[in-house]
Amino acid sequence: MYWLRIISATILAAVIGFLIHVLYGQGIAIEYVQNAAENGRLNDVIMQPYPTWLISVASFTALIPAFGKVFVYILIQDKLPSKNKIFKGAIFGILLLFVSDDLFRMPIMNIVTGNPLDVVFIQSLEKWIIYPLMGIFIAILAPKQLFFISNKVD
């Protein structure tokens, strides 16, 4: 029953996400964006090289998902194997890769759609480096618990 529930949850989550991706993302949303482009509404979209102010906004807003990762790490750190923070962080980083499609799914899809293997490798390498390093630094710096709770009685 245990594995059946894991498999069922995995399949249902994948089906829901994929259906929304296909019906909305590749249907309604892409049509809407194409119409906006045809009407000239995307002509002022900023292209590379990006101005400094845009890089500042990107850097600042990167704190939001990074905080989410720290929050999740604090909640699950006791469940990760090993007492070594670096190893624990590397495992957390690999888990981040698994939940982000970047470990296997996107490289496979890029290969299936015709991208050369070396291009897929170079594109994927960025995420394969980022997530484990993020995990390690989060593990080293994050507190042991979410809120400071003192056991001291006054």
mmCIF file of all heavy atoms in Angstrom, residues 70 73 85-86 88-90 92-93 129-143:
data_model
loop_
_atom_site.group_PDB
_atom_site.id
_atom_site.type_symbol
_atom_site.label_atom_id
_atom_site.label_comp_id
_atom_site.label_asym_id
_atom_site.label_seq_id
_atom_site.Cartn_x
_atom_site.Cartn_y
_atom_site.Cartn_z
ATOM 1 N N VAL A 70 15.693 27.935 1.816
ATOM 2 C CA VAL A 70 16.189 27.921 3.199
ATOM 3 C C VAL A 70 15.088 27.442 4.137
ATOM 4 O O VAL A 70 15.327 26.597 5.018
ATOM 5 C CB VAL A 70 16.699 29.323 3.620
ATOM 6 C CG1 VAL A 70 17.004 29.371 5.111
ATOM 7 C CG2 VAL A 70 17.927 29.708 2.813
ATOM 8 N N TYR A 73 14.641 23.743 3.762
ATOM 9 C CA TYR A 73 15.773 23.048 4.366
ATOM 10 C C TYR A 73 15.622 22.977 5.887
ATOM 11 O O TYR A 73 15.853 21.922 6.485
ATOM 12 C CB TYR A 73 17.114 23.708 4.003
ATOM 13 C CG TYR A 73 18.265 22.994 4.657
ATOM 14 C CD1 TYR A 73 18.757 21.819 4.107
ATOM 15 C CD2 TYR A 73 18.815 23.451 5.853
ATOM 16 C CE1 TYR A 73 19.783 21.123 4.729
ATOM 17 C CE2 TYR A 73 19.835 22.764 6.476
ATOM 18 C CZ TYR A 73 20.322 21.595 5.913
ATOM 19 O OH TYR A 73 21.323 20.904 6.545
ATOM 20 N N LYS A 85 27.299 18.588 7.525
ATOM 21 C CA LYS A 85 26.493 19.639 6.892
ATOM 22 C C LYS A 85 26.750 19.744 5.389
ATOM 23 O O LYS A 85 25.826 20.011 4.623
ATOM 24 C CB LYS A 85 26.747 20.994 7.561
ATOM 25 C CG LYS A 85 26.095 21.121 8.908
ATOM 26 C CD LYS A 85 26.247 22.523 9.439
ATOM 27 C CE LYS A 85 25.473 22.667 10.731
ATOM 28 N NZ LYS A 85 25.371 24.041 11.160
ATOM 29 N N ILE A 86 27.978 19.561 4.967
ATOM 30 C CA ILE A 86 28.287 19.670 3.540
ATOM 31 C C ILE A 86 27.602 18.547 2.759
ATOM 32 O O ILE A 86 26.977 18.791 1.725
ATOM 33 C CB ILE A 86 29.818 19.685 3.302
ATOM 34 C CG1 ILE A 86 30.402 20.969 3.886
ATOM 35 C CG2 ILE A 86 30.151 19.549 1.814
ATOM 36 C CD1 ILE A 86 31.909 21.044 3.871
ATOM 37 N N LYS A 88 24.997 16.791 3.767
ATOM 38 C CA LYS A 88 23.554 17.047 3.890
ATOM 39 C C LYS A 88 23.102 18.102 2.879
ATOM 40 O O LYS A 88 22.063 17.978 2.236
ATOM 41 C CB LYS A 88 23.254 17.535 5.313
ATOM 42 C CG LYS A 88 22.028 16.978 5.929
ATOM 43 C CD LYS A 88 21.874 17.495 7.347
ATOM 44 C CE LYS A 88 21.664 16.311 8.229
ATOM 45 N NZ LYS A 88 20.892 16.565 9.411
ATOM 46 N N GLY A 89 23.900 19.157 2.753
ATOM 47 C CA GLY A 89 23.591 20.223 1.804
ATOM 48 C C GLY A 89 23.643 19.748 0.365
ATOM 49 O O GLY A 89 22.808 20.138 -0.456
ATOM 50 N N ALA A 90 24.616 18.895 0.038
ATOM 51 C CA ALA A 90 24.709 18.348 -1.321
ATOM 52 C C ALA A 90 23.476 17.500 -1.633
ATOM 53 O O ALA A 90 22.919 17.578 -2.733
ATOM 54 C CB ALA A 90 25.990 17.536 -1.476
ATOM 55 N N PHE A 92 20.520 17.873 -0.263
ATOM 56 C CA PHE A 92 19.427 18.828 -0.421
ATOM 57 C C PHE A 92 19.474 19.472 -1.806
ATOM 58 O O PHE A 92 18.449 19.630 -2.468
ATOM 59 C CB PHE A 92 19.487 19.895 0.680
ATOM 60 C CG PHE A 92 18.395 20.916 0.604
ATOM 61 C CD1 PHE A 92 17.068 20.544 0.762
ATOM 62 C CD2 PHE A 92 18.686 22.257 0.383
ATOM 63 C CE1 PHE A 92 16.050 21.482 0.692
ATOM 64 C CE2 PHE A 92 17.678 23.197 0.311
ATOM 65 C CZ PHE A 92 16.357 22.809 0.459
ATOM 66 N N GLY A 93 20.672 19.827 -2.267
ATOM 67 C CA GLY A 93 20.820 20.411 -3.597
ATOM 68 C C GLY A 93 20.373 19.462 -4.694
ATOM 69 O O GLY A 93 19.733 19.878 -5.664
ATOM 70 N N ILE A 129 25.342 22.727 -11.270
ATOM 71 C CA ILE A 129 26.307 23.345 -10.365
ATOM 72 C C ILE A 129 25.587 24.187 -9.313
ATOM 73 O O ILE A 129 25.897 24.118 -8.128
ATOM 74 C CB ILE A 129 27.320 24.211 -11.149
ATOM 75 C CG1 ILE A 129 28.205 23.329 -12.030
ATOM 76 C CG2 ILE A 129 28.167 25.060 -10.205
ATOM 77 C CD1 ILE A 129 29.062 24.102 -13.020
ATOM 78 N N ILE A 130 24.609 24.974 -9.751
ATOM 79 C CA ILE A 130 23.937 25.921 -8.859
ATOM 80 C C ILE A 130 23.252 25.221 -7.691
ATOM 81 O O ILE A 130 23.467 25.594 -6.528
ATOM 82 C CB ILE A 130 22.916 26.783 -9.635
ATOM 83 C CG1 ILE A 130 23.632 27.776 -10.547
ATOM 84 C CG2 ILE A 130 21.962 27.515 -8.683
ATOM 85 C CD1 ILE A 130 22.710 28.526 -11.501
ATOM 86 N N TYR A 131 22.397 24.241 -7.967
ATOM 87 C CA TYR A 131 21.580 23.661 -6.899
ATOM 88 C C TYR A 131 22.388 22.943 -5.820
ATOM 89 O O TYR A 131 22.152 23.175 -4.618
ATOM 90 C CB TYR A 131 20.485 22.772 -7.466
ATOM 91 C CG TYR A 131 19.338 23.562 -8.055
ATOM 92 C CD1 TYR A 131 19.005 23.450 -9.401
ATOM 93 C CD2 TYR A 131 18.591 24.422 -7.268
ATOM 94 C CE1 TYR A 131 17.954 24.175 -9.942
ATOM 95 C CE2 TYR A 131 17.547 25.153 -7.797
ATOM 96 C CZ TYR A 131 17.233 25.028 -9.138
ATOM 97 O OH TYR A 131 16.201 25.745 -9.661
ATOM 98 N N PRO A 132 23.346 22.085 -6.166
ATOM 99 C CA PRO A 132 24.144 21.493 -5.081
ATOM 100 C C PRO A 132 24.921 22.532 -4.268
ATOM 101 O O PRO A 132 24.986 22.428 -3.039
ATOM 102 C CB PRO A 132 25.085 20.533 -5.822
ATOM 103 C CG PRO A 132 24.329 20.166 -7.050
ATOM 104 C CD PRO A 132 23.602 21.429 -7.446
ATOM 105 N N LEU A 133 25.478 23.560 -4.938
ATOM 106 C CA LEU A 133 26.181 24.601 -4.180
ATOM 107 C C LEU A 133 25.233 25.378 -3.281
ATOM 108 O O LEU A 133 25.571 25.691 -2.131
ATOM 109 C CB LEU A 133 26.916 25.557 -5.131
ATOM 110 C CG LEU A 133 28.227 25.041 -5.704
ATOM 111 C CD1 LEU A 133 28.824 26.041 -6.692
ATOM 112 C CD2 LEU A 133 29.222 24.742 -4.592
ATOM 113 N N MET A 134 24.035 25.698 -3.799
ATOM 114 C CA MET A 134 23.032 26.366 -2.952
ATOM 115 C C MET A 134 22.732 25.507 -1.730
ATOM 116 O O MET A 134 22.669 26.016 -0.608
ATOM 117 C CB MET A 134 21.716 26.571 -3.717
ATOM 118 C CG MET A 134 21.675 27.717 -4.647
ATOM 119 S SD MET A 134 20.029 27.709 -5.418
ATOM 120 C CE MET A 134 19.518 29.345 -5.019
ATOM 121 N N GLY A 135 22.515 24.223 -1.971
ATOM 122 C CA GLY A 135 22.200 23.311 -0.872
ATOM 123 C C GLY A 135 23.292 23.284 0.181
ATOM 124 O O GLY A 135 23.020 23.320 1.382
ATOM 125 N N ILE A 136 24.548 23.240 -0.267
ATOM 126 C CA ILE A 136 25.670 23.204 0.676
ATOM 127 C C ILE A 136 25.733 24.489 1.496
ATOM 128 O O ILE A 136 25.855 24.445 2.728
ATOM 129 C CB ILE A 136 26.992 22.951 -0.070
ATOM 130 C CG1 ILE A 136 27.026 21.506 -0.597
ATOM 131 C CG2 ILE A 136 28.199 23.232 0.828
ATOM 132 C CD1 ILE A 136 28.129 21.219 -1.595
ATOM 133 N N PHE A 137 25.630 25.643 0.843
ATOM 134 C CA PHE A 137 25.694 26.900 1.579
ATOM 135 C C PHE A 137 24.500 27.081 2.508
ATOM 136 O O PHE A 137 24.644 27.603 3.619
ATOM 137 C CB PHE A 137 25.852 28.089 0.629
ATOM 138 C CG PHE A 137 27.248 28.238 0.126
ATOM 139 C CD1 PHE A 137 27.585 27.837 -1.155
ATOM 140 C CD2 PHE A 137 28.245 28.750 0.943
ATOM 141 C CE1 PHE A 137 28.885 27.952 -1.614
ATOM 142 C CE2 PHE A 137 29.553 28.873 0.498
ATOM 143 C CZ PHE A 137 29.874 28.469 -0.786
ATOM 144 N N ILE A 138 23.329 26.638 2.077
ATOM 145 C CA ILE A 138 22.147 26.705 2.950
ATOM 146 C C ILE A 138 22.381 25.824 4.174
ATOM 147 O O ILE A 138 22.123 26.246 5.305
ATOM 148 C CB ILE A 138 20.875 26.293 2.186
ATOM 149 C CG1 ILE A 138 20.492 27.382 1.177
ATOM 150 C CG2 ILE A 138 19.718 26.016 3.154
ATOM 151 C CD1 ILE A 138 19.405 26.976 0.201
ATOM 152 N N ALA A 139 22.881 24.608 3.967
ATOM 153 C CA ALA A 139 23.105 23.688 5.086
ATOM 154 C C ALA A 139 24.125 24.233 6.080
ATOM 155 O O ALA A 139 23.977 24.066 7.287
ATOM 156 C CB ALA A 139 23.555 22.331 4.550
ATOM 157 N N ILE A 140 25.141 24.887 5.569
ATOM 158 C CA ILE A 140 26.179 25.439 6.446
ATOM 159 C C ILE A 140 25.653 26.623 7.251
ATOM 160 O O ILE A 140 25.945 26.764 8.440
ATOM 161 C CB ILE A 140 27.423 25.853 5.620
ATOM 162 C CG1 ILE A 140 28.131 24.604 5.093
ATOM 163 C CG2 ILE A 140 28.382 26.708 6.440
ATOM 164 C CD1 ILE A 140 29.213 24.888 4.066
ATOM 165 N N LEU A 141 24.813 27.463 6.639
ATOM 166 C CA LEU A 141 24.423 28.729 7.266
ATOM 167 C C LEU A 141 23.059 28.728 7.951
ATOM 168 O O LEU A 141 22.817 29.559 8.824
ATOM 169 C CB LEU A 141 24.450 29.847 6.211
ATOM 170 C CG LEU A 141 25.821 30.150 5.620
ATOM 171 C CD1 LEU A 141 25.700 31.102 4.449
ATOM 172 C CD2 LEU A 141 26.753 30.705 6.680
ATOM 173 N N ALA A 142 22.168 27.823 7.549
ATOM 174 C CA ALA A 142 20.798 27.858 8.090
ATOM 175 C C ALA A 142 20.782 27.424 9.555
ATOM 176 O O ALA A 142 21.558 26.570 9.968
ATOM 177 C CB ALA A 142 19.887 26.952 7.268
ATOM 178 N N PRO A 143 19.878 28.017 10.335
ATOM 179 C CA PRO A 143 19.754 27.601 11.735
ATOM 180 C C PRO A 143 19.160 26.204 11.840
ATOM 181 O O PRO A 143 18.583 25.680 10.898
ATOM 182 C CB PRO A 143 18.803 28.645 12.335
ATOM 183 C CG PRO A 143 18.032 29.157 11.182
ATOM 184 C CD PRO A 143 18.928 29.078 9.990
#
